[in-house]
Amino acid sequence: MRVLVVFAHPVESSFNATLHRTVVDALTRAGHQVDDLDLYAEGFNPCLTREERLVYHDTTRNLDTVAPYVERLRAAEAVVFVFPVWSYGVPAILKGWMDRLLKPGVGFTLNADGTLTRILTSIRAVAAVTSYGQPWWMVRLAIGDLPRAQIMGYFRRFCPNCRTRRYHALYHMNRATPERCRRFLARVEQSMLRFG
Amino acid sequence: MRVLVVFAHPVESSFNATLHRTVVDALTRAGHQVDDLDLYAEGFNPCLTREERLVYHDTTRNLDTVAPYVERLRAAEAVVFVFPVWSYGVPAILKGWMDRLLKPGVGFTLNADGTLTRILTSIRAVAAVTSYGQPWWMVRLAIGDLPRAQIMGYFRRFCPNCRTRRYHALYHMNRATPERCRRFLARVEQSMLRFG
């Protein structure tokens, strides 16, 4: 499969960077063709611009400023997101990738009767690999799982042929022992070796 | 009161821009001192940088790159957010304002026993004014109300003395009649005239 990996952390020595390297390495070893999109390294601008907003519904012009990113998304048969949870959500740079890319002509078409048809038809699998500062029960019961909703509720809905979904989360990262981090890393590696 | 208005839309002719002008105007008429932070107009960079992440926990250095924005937040006795809902959440530029500002020394202090003390003590009121593409029942029952959780669940928690909270949402904006928009605008104006 052609797998687009979307990574959103700025520090090369972070646990997230280790997760990212593990994901790319395992997918490659499993024989997939990986397109590694490191949003920070590529200097991605997450702000939907004034011009983009003005032509948002005009599918003849609304891709001009994000064409290379749209091409990479359209070429993908699977997408794997690797990111930390910051301020209860996905990092701004990843939120902006969604704001700017998932528009009419890419994520969906607007029909004459006002309904949507979702058109990321090539994508057959979506996964996320992430770490939360808080424990899982706080995320589930008190806070609300915003990053999961953003990836699995929002992004995945544009992929009508998605058959595989995996959400790997390390909770309570603020207190995680090295052993728990190692186990999580091993779990992610095994999952990516069998991804598809 | 000193009210910080945080606005996140790039188009001056948008309904959100009208909401923004109405909010600033009503607060000013009500006698408040308004600090109008237009994130797009000020070219705010929403990406937490590598350097910021490396000194995140070092309260002697972690404010260097965002000092003017921290000062404006600390000076506020109330905060009003005005934004559209994009991709189920707050726009990336506003998400990044939270990612970069609400760190140790600004939003909270980390105690020796690992607990947090929330320290935006000057803030007595928090409000949001926003518009959703989807109808309210879809947001509440199917999608999950991510923007509300981000503002009222996340940001407001840093304000232990917050006594007033208001969340004004226009749902199903994609199908709103001019009359419904007018009524919402009037409701927002009245709310801001009596804010405090």
Side-chain angles (χ1 to χ4, degrees):
Chain A
M1 284 199 305
R2 289 186 300 276
V3 184
L4 176 65
V5 174
V6 184
F7 173 54
H9 198 294
V11 179
E12 68 292 342
S13 57
S14 63
F15 183 61
N16 240 265
T18 304
L19 288 170
H20 171 233
R21 282 189 295 271
T22 301
V23 164
V24 170
D25 179 62
L27 288 169
T28 307
R29 276 157 54 207
H32 300 300
Q33 186 184 325
V34 177
D35 177 6
D36 185 12
L37 170 50
D38 181 335
L39 293 168
Y40 269 98
E42 298 196 14
F44 182 78
N45 169 24
C47 300
L48 181 83
T49 66
R50 177 177 180 279
E51 290 64 34
E52 287 170 353
R53 185 61 211 167
L54 289 171
V55 298
Y56 184 81
H57 289 285
D58 178 353
T59 51
T60 65
R61 296 165 63 202
N62 70 357
L63 305 188
D64 293 355
T65 50
V66 286
Y69 293 104
V70 169
E71 259 175 57
R72 293 166 75 173
L73 177 58
R74 283 180 173 160
E77 294 164 301
V79 182
V80 180
F81 296 94
V82 184
F83 60 93
V85 176
W86 287 347
S87 311
Y88 284 12
V90 302
I93 203 168
L94 175 53
K95 177 59 171 54
W97 181 85
M98 296 190 198
D99 289 351
R100 293 184 69 201
L101 261 69
L102 300 172
K103 56 176 78 171
V106 184
F108 58 93
T109 52
L110 270 175
N111 305 316
D113 63 359
T115 58
L116 293 185
T117 302
R118 295 179 168 84
I119 58 173
L120 282 178
T121 48
S122 314
I123 296 175
R124 304 197 308 262
V126 175
V129 176
T130 186
S131 55
Y132 293 67
Q134 293 85 3
W136 71 265
W137 55 267
M138 202 184 282
V139 172
R140 291 292 178 83
L141 306 177
I143 294 171
D145 199 340
L146 282 61
R148 189 188 291 258
Q150 206 90 62
I151 302 292
M152 292 300 166
Y154 184 69
F155 177 80
R156 196 188 48 84
R157 288 183 71 216
F158 294 112
C159 313
N161 299 324
C162 177
R163 294 291 168 267
T164 303
R165 55 163 147 172
R166 295 193 190 163
Y167 195 84
H168 296 293
L170 178 65
Y171 293 98
H172 217 179
M173 177 74 189
N174 297 346
R175 299 284 183 92
T177 60
E179 176 52 27
R180 202 153 68 82
C181 291
R182 260 195 305 275
R183 281 205 308 270
F184 180 68
L185 207 55
R187 185 149 58 87
V188 167
E189 185 182 27
Q190 284 307 313
S191 171
M192 291 297 115
L193 284 171
R194 297 188 312 263
F195 193 54
Chain B
M1 284 199 305
R2 290 186 299 277
V3 184
L4 176 65
V5 174
V6 184
F7 172 54
H9 198 294
V11 179
E12 68 291 342
S13 57
S14 63
F15 183 60
N16 240 265
T18 305
L19 288 171
H20 171 233
R21 282 188 295 270
T22 301
V23 164
V24 170
D25 179 61
L27 288 170
T28 306
R29 276 156 55 208
H32 300 299
Q33 186 184 323
V34 176
D35 177 7
D36 185 12
L37 170 50
D38 182 334
L39 292 169
Y40 269 99
E42 298 196 15
F44 182 77
N45 169 22
C47 301
L48 181 81
T49 67
R50 177 177 180 279
E51 291 64 34
E52 286 170 353
R53 185 61 213 169
L54 289 172
V55 299
Y56 185 79
H57 289 286
D58 177 354
T59 51
T60 66
R61 298 165 62 201
N62 69 358
L63 306 188
D64 294 355
T65 49
V66 285
Y69 293 103
V70 169
E71 261 176 55
R72 294 166 76 173
L73 177 58
R74 283 179 174 160
E77 294 164 300
V79 182
V80 181
F81 296 94
V82 184
F83 60 92
V85 176
W86 287 346
S87 311
Y88 283 13
V90 301
I93 204 167
L94 175 53
K95 176 58 170 55
W97 181 85
M98 296 191 197
D99 289 349
R100 293 185 69 200
L101 262 68
L102 301 172
K103 56 175 78 170
V106 184
F108 58 93
T109 52
L110 269 175
N111 305 316
D113 63 357
T115 58
L116 293 184
T117 303
R118 295 178 167 85
I119 58 173
L120 282 178
T121 48
S122 314
I123 296 174
R124 303 196 309 263
V126 174
V129 176
T130 186
S131 55
Y132 292 67
Q134 295 85 4
W136 71 266
W137 56 266
M138 202 183 283
V139 172
R140 292 293 179 83
L141 305 178
I143 294 171
D145 199 340
L146 281 62
R148 188 187 292 257
Q150 205 89 62
I151 303 292
M152 292 301 167
Y154 184 70
F155 178 79
R156 196 188 48 84
R157 290 183 69 217
F158 294 112
C159 315
N161 299 323
C162 177
R163 294 290 169 266
T164 303
R165 54 164 147 173
R166 295 193 190 163
Y167 195 85
H168 296 293
L170 178 66
Y171 293 97
H172 216 179
M173 177 73 191
N174 296 347
R175 299 284 184 93
T177 60
E179 176 53 26
R180 202 153 68 83
C181 291
R182 260 197 304 276
R183 280 205 309 270
F184 179 68
L185 206 55
R187 185 149 59 87
V188 167
E189 184 182 29
Q190 285 306 311
S191 172
M192 291 298 115
L193 284 172
R194 296 188 314 262
F195 193 54

PDB file of all heavy atoms in Angstrom, chain B residues 49-74:
ATOM      1  N   THR B  49       7.020  26.059  18.725  1.00  0.00           N
ATOM      2  CA  THR B  49       8.284  25.785  18.029  1.00  0.00           C
ATOM      3  C   THR B  49       9.135  24.755  18.775  1.00  0.00           C
ATOM      4  O   THR B  49       8.871  24.429  19.932  1.00  0.00           O
ATOM      5  CB  THR B  49       9.118  27.067  17.887  1.00  0.00           C
ATOM      6  OG1 THR B  49       9.530  27.489  19.201  1.00  0.00           O
ATOM      7  CG2 THR B  49       8.317  28.185  17.229  1.00  0.00           C
ATOM      8  N   ARG B  50      10.157  24.273  18.090  1.00  0.00           N
ATOM      9  CA  ARG B  50      11.122  23.341  18.680  1.00  0.00           C
ATOM     10  C   ARG B  50      11.724  23.944  19.960  1.00  0.00           C
ATOM     11  O   ARG B  50      11.767  23.298  20.997  1.00  0.00           O
ATOM     12  CB  ARG B  50      12.218  23.063  17.655  1.00  0.00           C
ATOM     13  CG  ARG B  50      13.324  22.154  18.164  1.00  0.00           C
ATOM     14  CD  ARG B  50      14.341  21.861  17.069  1.00  0.00           C
ATOM     15  NE  ARG B  50      15.380  20.988  17.607  1.00  0.00           N
ATOM     16  CZ  ARG B  50      16.419  21.411  18.338  1.00  0.00           C
ATOM     17  NH1 ARG B  50      16.559  22.702  18.603  1.00  0.00           N
ATOM     18  NH2 ARG B  50      17.305  20.555  18.809  1.00  0.00           N
ATOM     19  N   GLU B  51      12.148  25.207  19.885  1.00  0.00           N
ATOM     20  CA  GLU B  51      12.788  25.861  21.027  1.00  0.00           C
ATOM     21  C   GLU B  51      11.799  25.977  22.190  1.00  0.00           C
ATOM     22  O   GLU B  51      12.139  25.742  23.343  1.00  0.00           O
ATOM     23  CB  GLU B  51      13.313  27.255  20.634  1.00  0.00           C
ATOM     24  CG  GLU B  51      14.499  27.233  19.679  1.00  0.00           C
ATOM     25  CD  GLU B  51      14.158  26.626  18.311  1.00  0.00           C
ATOM     26  OE1 GLU B  51      13.012  26.805  17.825  1.00  0.00           O
ATOM     27  OE2 GLU B  51      15.029  25.943  17.729  1.00  0.00           O
ATOM     28  N   GLU B  52      10.570  26.352  21.885  1.00  0.00           N
ATOM     29  CA  GLU B  52       9.555  26.473  22.936  1.00  0.00           C
ATOM     30  C   GLU B  52       9.286  25.132  23.614  1.00  0.00           C
ATOM     31  O   GLU B  52       9.089  25.064  24.826  1.00  0.00           O
ATOM     32  CB  GLU B  52       8.248  27.025  22.354  1.00  0.00           C
ATOM     33  CG  GLU B  52       8.327  28.510  22.028  1.00  0.00           C
ATOM     34  CD  GLU B  52       7.144  29.019  21.236  1.00  0.00           C
ATOM     35  OE1 GLU B  52       6.306  28.194  20.804  1.00  0.00           O
ATOM     36  OE2 GLU B  52       7.056  30.230  21.027  1.00  0.00           O
ATOM     37  N   ARG B  53       9.262  24.077  22.828  1.00  0.00           N
ATOM     38  CA  ARG B  53       9.013  22.754  23.403  1.00  0.00           C
ATOM     39  C   ARG B  53      10.175  22.346  24.305  1.00  0.00           C
ATOM     40  O   ARG B  53       9.965  21.769  25.381  1.00  0.00           O
ATOM     41  CB  ARG B  53       8.802  21.738  22.277  1.00  0.00           C
ATOM     42  CG  ARG B  53       8.416  20.343  22.731  1.00  0.00           C
ATOM     43  CD  ARG B  53       7.114  20.317  23.493  1.00  0.00           C
ATOM     44  NE  ARG B  53       7.118  19.271  24.521  1.00  0.00           N
ATOM     45  CZ  ARG B  53       6.227  19.119  25.473  1.00  0.00           C
ATOM     46  NH1 ARG B  53       5.210  19.948  25.580  1.00  0.00           N
ATOM     47  NH2 ARG B  53       6.331  18.164  26.352  1.00  0.00           N
ATOM     48  N   LEU B  54      11.403  22.671  23.898  1.00  0.00           N
ATOM     49  CA  LEU B  54      12.583  22.278  24.683  1.00  0.00           C
ATOM     50  C   LEU B  54      12.621  22.983  26.044  1.00  0.00           C
ATOM     51  O   LEU B  54      13.106  22.411  27.013  1.00  0.00           O
ATOM     52  CB  LEU B  54      13.871  22.561  23.892  1.00  0.00           C
ATOM     53  CG  LEU B  54      14.110  21.634  22.684  1.00  0.00           C
ATOM     54  CD1 LEU B  54      15.296  22.114  21.847  1.00  0.00           C
ATOM     55  CD2 LEU B  54      14.331  20.181  23.126  1.00  0.00           C
ATOM     56  N   VAL B  55      12.141  24.224  26.126  1.00  0.00           N
ATOM     57  CA  VAL B  55      12.166  24.951  27.410  1.00  0.00           C
ATOM     58  C   VAL B  55      10.769  25.045  28.037  1.00  0.00           C
ATOM     59  O   VAL B  55      10.539  25.876  28.926  1.00  0.00           O
ATOM     60  CB  VAL B  55      12.765  26.376  27.257  1.00  0.00           C
ATOM     61  CG1 VAL B  55      14.208  26.304  26.760  1.00  0.00           C
ATOM     62  CG2 VAL B  55      11.912  27.250  26.332  1.00  0.00           C
ATOM     63  N   TYR B  56       9.853  24.180  27.591  1.00  0.00           N
ATOM     64  CA  TYR B  56       8.451  24.235  28.011  1.00  0.00           C
ATOM     65  C   TYR B  56       8.284  24.325  29.531  1.00  0.00           C
ATOM     66  O   TYR B  56       7.479  25.103  30.045  1.00  0.00           O
ATOM     67  CB  TYR B  56       7.737  22.990  27.471  1.00  0.00           C
ATOM     68  CG  TYR B  56       6.252  22.957  27.724  1.00  0.00           C
ATOM     69  CD1 TYR B  56       5.380  23.681  26.926  1.00  0.00           C
ATOM     70  CD2 TYR B  56       5.716  22.179  28.754  1.00  0.00           C
ATOM     71  CE1 TYR B  56       4.010  23.640  27.145  1.00  0.00           C
ATOM     72  CE2 TYR B  56       4.348  22.135  28.975  1.00  0.00           C
ATOM     73  CZ  TYR B  56       3.502  22.867  28.177  1.00  0.00           C
ATOM     74  OH  TYR B  56       2.150  22.831  28.403  1.00  0.00           O
ATOM     75  N   HIS B  57       9.049  23.540  30.273  1.00  0.00           N
ATOM     76  CA  HIS B  57       8.892  23.479  31.727  1.00  0.00           C
ATOM     77  C   HIS B  57       9.794  24.462  32.479  1.00  0.00           C
ATOM     78  O   HIS B  57       9.748  24.525  33.703  1.00  0.00           O
ATOM     79  CB  HIS B  57       9.148  22.046  32.224  1.00  0.00           C
ATOM     80  CG  HIS B  57       8.052  21.100  31.840  1.00  0.00           C
ATOM     81  ND1 HIS B  57       6.823  21.093  32.457  1.00  0.00           N
ATOM     82  CD2 HIS B  57       7.990  20.150  30.868  1.00  0.00           C
ATOM     83  CE1 HIS B  57       6.048  20.167  31.910  1.00  0.00           C
ATOM     84  NE2 HIS B  57       6.728  19.579  30.947  1.00  0.00           N
ATOM     85  N   ASP B  58      10.632  25.198  31.756  1.00  0.00           N
ATOM     86  CA  ASP B  58      11.567  26.134  32.393  1.00  0.00           C
ATOM     87  C   ASP B  58      10.930  27.529  32.431  1.00  0.00           C
ATOM     88  O   ASP B  58      11.002  28.294  31.476  1.00  0.00           O
ATOM     89  CB  ASP B  58      12.870  26.154  31.582  1.00  0.00           C
ATOM     90  CG  ASP B  58      13.877  27.153  32.147  1.00  0.00           C
ATOM     91  OD1 ASP B  58      13.528  27.913  33.089  1.00  0.00           O
ATOM     92  OD2 ASP B  58      15.011  27.182  31.647  1.00  0.00           O
ATOM     93  N   THR B  59      10.324  27.852  33.583  1.00  0.00           N
ATOM     94  CA  THR B  59       9.540  29.099  33.654  1.00  0.00           C
ATOM     95  C   THR B  59      10.402  30.359  33.640  1.00  0.00           C
ATOM     96  O   THR B  59       9.869  31.465  33.587  1.00  0.00           O
ATOM     97  CB  THR B  59       8.640  29.113  34.919  1.00  0.00           C
ATOM     98  OG1 THR B  59       9.458  28.803  36.053  1.00  0.00           O
ATOM     99  CG2 THR B  59       7.540  28.078  34.802  1.00  0.00           C
ATOM    100  N   THR B  60      11.719  30.214  33.654  1.00  0.00           N
ATOM    101  CA  THR B  60      12.567  31.412  33.509  1.00  0.00           C
ATOM    102  C   THR B  60      12.759  31.750  32.034  1.00  0.00           C
ATOM    103  O   THR B  60      13.178  32.850  31.696  1.00  0.00           O
ATOM    104  CB  THR B  60      13.960  31.199  34.143  1.00  0.00           C
ATOM    105  OG1 THR B  60      14.668  30.180  33.409  1.00  0.00           O
ATOM    106  CG2 THR B  60      13.844  30.786  35.602  1.00  0.00           C
ATOM    107  N   ARG B  61      12.466  30.807  31.134  1.00  0.00           N
ATOM    108  CA  ARG B  61      12.749  31.041  29.703  1.00  0.00           C
ATOM    109  C   ARG B  61      11.574  30.757  28.775  1.00  0.00           C
ATOM    110  O   ARG B  61      11.615  31.140  27.598  1.00  0.00           O
ATOM    111  CB  ARG B  61      13.927  30.164  29.261  1.00  0.00           C
ATOM    112  CG  ARG B  61      15.223  30.481  29.995  1.00  0.00           C
ATOM    113  CD  ARG B  61      16.246  29.348  29.789  1.00  0.00           C
ATOM    114  NE  ARG B  61      16.605  29.196  28.392  1.00  0.00           N
ATOM    115  CZ  ARG B  61      17.138  28.083  27.854  1.00  0.00           C
ATOM    116  NH1 ARG B  61      17.315  27.017  28.592  1.00  0.00           N
ATOM    117  NH2 ARG B  61      17.451  28.039  26.585  1.00  0.00           N
ATOM    118  N   ASN B  62      10.529  30.073  29.282  1.00  0.00           N
ATOM    119  CA  ASN B  62       9.528  29.563  28.334  1.00  0.00           C
ATOM    120  C   ASN B  62       8.557  30.622  27.810  1.00  0.00           C
ATOM    121  O   ASN B  62       7.703  30.322  26.985  1.00  0.00           O
ATOM    122  CB  ASN B  62       8.769  28.358  28.935  1.00  0.00           C
ATOM    123  CG  ASN B  62       7.847  28.746  30.088  1.00  0.00           C
ATOM    124  OD1 ASN B  62       7.790  29.915  30.481  1.00  0.00           O
ATOM    125  ND2 ASN B  62       7.129  27.772  30.620  1.00  0.00           N
ATOM    126  N   LEU B  63       8.688  31.868  28.285  1.00  0.00           N
ATOM    127  CA  LEU B  63       7.784  32.915  27.793  1.00  0.00           C
ATOM    128  C   LEU B  63       8.449  33.847  26.787  1.00  0.00           C
ATOM    129  O   LEU B  63       7.774  34.700  26.192  1.00  0.00           O
ATOM    130  CB  LEU B  63       7.236  33.744  28.960  1.00  0.00           C
ATOM    131  CG  LEU B  63       6.564  32.955  30.076  1.00  0.00           C
ATOM    132  CD1 LEU B  63       5.912  33.888  31.063  1.00  0.00           C
ATOM    133  CD2 LEU B  63       5.536  31.984  29.492  1.00  0.00           C
ATOM    134  N   ASP B  64       9.762  33.695  26.601  1.00  0.00           N
ATOM    135  CA  ASP B  64      10.520  34.654  25.789  1.00  0.00           C
ATOM    136  C   ASP B  64       9.871  34.938  24.433  1.00  0.00           C
ATOM    137  O   ASP B  64       9.798  36.088  24.002  1.00  0.00           O
ATOM    138  CB  ASP B  64      11.946  34.138  25.555  1.00  0.00           C
ATOM    139  CG  ASP B  64      12.744  34.092  26.866  1.00  0.00           C
ATOM    140  OD1 ASP B  64      12.200  34.543  27.899  1.00  0.00           O
ATOM    141  OD2 ASP B  64      13.889  33.591  26.851  1.00  0.00           O
ATOM    142  N   THR B  65       9.417  33.898  23.766  1.00  0.00           N
ATOM    143  CA  THR B  65       8.956  34.070  22.390  1.00  0.00           C
ATOM    144  C   THR B  65       7.487  34.490  22.277  1.00  0.00           C
ATOM    145  O   THR B  65       7.021  34.804  21.183  1.00  0.00           O
ATOM    146  CB  THR B  65       9.138  32.749  21.608  1.00  0.00           C
ATOM    147  OG1 THR B  65       8.576  31.689  22.399  1.00  0.00           O
ATOM    148  CG2 THR B  65      10.615  32.475  21.360  1.00  0.00           C
ATOM    149  N   VAL B  66       6.766  34.457  23.404  1.00  0.00           N
ATOM    150  CA  VAL B  66       5.339  34.833  23.346  1.00  0.00           C
ATOM    151  C   VAL B  66       4.995  35.909  24.379  1.00  0.00           C
ATOM    152  O   VAL B  66       3.820  36.116  24.697  1.00  0.00           O
ATOM    153  CB  VAL B  66       4.421  33.595  23.571  1.00  0.00           C
ATOM    154  CG1 VAL B  66       4.384  32.716  22.330  1.00  0.00           C
ATOM    155  CG2 VAL B  66       4.840  32.795  24.788  1.00  0.00           C
ATOM    156  N   ALA B  67       6.019  36.612  24.874  1.00  0.00           N
ATOM    157  CA  ALA B  67       5.836  37.551  25.987  1.00  0.00           C
ATOM    158  C   ALA B  67       4.699  38.562  25.767  1.00  0.00           C
ATOM    159  O   ALA B  67       3.868  38.758  26.663  1.00  0.00           O
ATOM    160  CB  ALA B  67       7.150  38.251  26.293  1.00  0.00           C
ATOM    161  N   PRO B  68       4.606  39.227  24.603  1.00  0.00           N
ATOM    162  CA  PRO B  68       3.547  40.231  24.451  1.00  0.00           C
ATOM    163  C   PRO B  68       2.145  39.606  24.552  1.00  0.00           C
ATOM    164  O   PRO B  68       1.238  40.220  25.122  1.00  0.00           O
ATOM    165  CB  PRO B  68       3.767  40.778  23.035  1.00  0.00           C
ATOM    166  CG  PRO B  68       5.165  40.382  22.662  1.00  0.00           C
ATOM    167  CD  PRO B  68       5.465  39.125  23.411  1.00  0.00           C
ATOM    168  N   TYR B  69       1.982  38.392  24.019  1.00  0.00           N
ATOM    169  CA  TYR B  69       0.683  37.728  24.084  1.00  0.00           C
ATOM    170  C   TYR B  69       0.354  37.290  25.509  1.00  0.00           C
ATOM    171  O   TYR B  69      -0.800  37.350  25.946  1.00  0.00           O
ATOM    172  CB  TYR B  69       0.643  36.529  23.138  1.00  0.00           C
ATOM    173  CG  TYR B  69       0.697  36.944  21.690  1.00  0.00           C
ATOM    174  CD1 TYR B  69       1.867  36.820  20.955  1.00  0.00           C
ATOM    175  CD2 TYR B  69      -0.418  37.501  21.084  1.00  0.00           C
ATOM    176  CE1 TYR B  69       1.919  37.230  19.634  1.00  0.00           C
ATOM    177  CE2 TYR B  69      -0.365  37.915  19.763  1.00  0.00           C
ATOM    178  CZ  TYR B  69       0.803  37.776  19.044  1.00  0.00           C
ATOM    179  OH  TYR B  69       0.849  38.193  17.744  1.00  0.00           O
ATOM    180  N   VAL B  70       1.380  36.863  26.253  1.00  0.00           N
ATOM    181  CA  VAL B  70       1.176  36.475  27.653  1.00  0.00           C
ATOM    182  C   VAL B  70       0.771  37.692  28.473  1.00  0.00           C
ATOM    183  O   VAL B  70      -0.152  37.620  29.290  1.00  0.00           O
ATOM    184  CB  VAL B  70       2.453  35.826  28.221  1.00  0.00           C
ATOM    185  CG1 VAL B  70       2.346  35.663  29.733  1.00  0.00           C
ATOM    186  CG2 VAL B  70       2.716  34.483  27.552  1.00  0.00           C
ATOM    187  N   GLU B  71       1.425  38.815  28.243  1.00  0.00           N
ATOM    188  CA  GLU B  71       1.073  40.054  28.957  1.00  0.00           C
ATOM    189  C   GLU B  71      -0.390  40.430  28.741  1.00  0.00           C
ATOM    190  O   GLU B  71      -1.091  40.810  29.679  1.00  0.00           O
ATOM    191  CB  GLU B  71       1.927  41.217  28.434  1.00  0.00           C
ATOM    192  CG  GLU B  71       3.117  41.549  29.304  1.00  0.00           C
ATOM    193  CD  GLU B  71       3.955  42.641  28.645  1.00  0.00           C
ATOM    194  OE1 GLU B  71       3.394  43.722  28.331  1.00  0.00           O
ATOM    195  OE2 GLU B  71       5.159  42.397  28.431  1.00  0.00           O
ATOM    196  N   ARG B  72      -0.830  40.317  27.503  1.00  0.00           N
ATOM    197  CA  ARG B  72      -2.214  40.685  27.192  1.00  0.00           C
ATOM    198  C   ARG B  72      -3.202  39.734  27.869  1.00  0.00           C
ATOM    199  O   ARG B  72      -4.265  40.157  28.324  1.00  0.00           O
ATOM    200  CB  ARG B  72      -2.421  40.697  25.681  1.00  0.00           C
ATOM    201  CG  ARG B  72      -1.613  41.794  25.012  1.00  0.00           C
ATOM    202  CD  ARG B  72      -1.519  41.634  23.514  1.00  0.00           C
ATOM    203  NE  ARG B  72      -2.757  42.023  22.841  1.00  0.00           N
ATOM    204  CZ  ARG B  72      -2.862  42.103  21.518  1.00  0.00           C
ATOM    205  NH1 ARG B  72      -1.827  41.820  20.735  1.00  0.00           N
ATOM    206  NH2 ARG B  72      -4.004  42.475  20.972  1.00  0.00           N
ATOM    207  N   LEU B  73      -2.831  38.456  27.938  1.00  0.00           N
ATOM    208  CA  LEU B  73      -3.697  37.482  28.608  1.00  0.00           C
ATOM    209  C   LEU B  73      -3.730  37.740  30.116  1.00  0.00           C
ATOM    210  O   LEU B  73      -4.787  37.706  30.750  1.00  0.00           O
ATOM    211  CB  LEU B  73      -3.182  36.069  28.307  1.00  0.00           C
ATOM    212  CG  LEU B  73      -3.926  34.907  28.974  1.00  0.00           C
ATOM    213  CD1 LEU B  73      -5.404  34.899  28.611  1.00  0.00           C
ATOM    214  CD2 LEU B  73      -3.277  33.564  28.586  1.00  0.00           C
ATOM    215  N   ARG B  74      -2.556  38.017  30.685  1.00  0.00           N
ATOM    216  CA  ARG B  74      -2.489  38.267  32.132  1.00  0.00           C
ATOM    217  C   ARG B  74      -3.201  39.553  32.530  1.00  0.00           C
ATOM    218  O   ARG B  74      -3.676  39.686  33.657  1.00  0.00           O
ATOM    219  CB  ARG B  74      -1.031  38.347  32.578  1.00  0.00           C
ATOM    220  CG  ARG B  74      -0.352  36.993  32.684  1.00  0.00           C
ATOM    221  CD  ARG B  74       1.086  37.165  33.113  1.00  0.00           C
ATOM    222  NE  ARG B  74       1.735  35.885  33.365  1.00  0.00           N
ATOM    223  CZ  ARG B  74       3.048  35.709  33.383  1.00  0.00           C
ATOM    224  NH1 ARG B  74       3.857  36.738  33.151  1.00  0.00           N
ATOM    225  NH2 ARG B  74       3.552  34.518  33.632  1.00  0.00           N
TER     226      ARG B  74
END
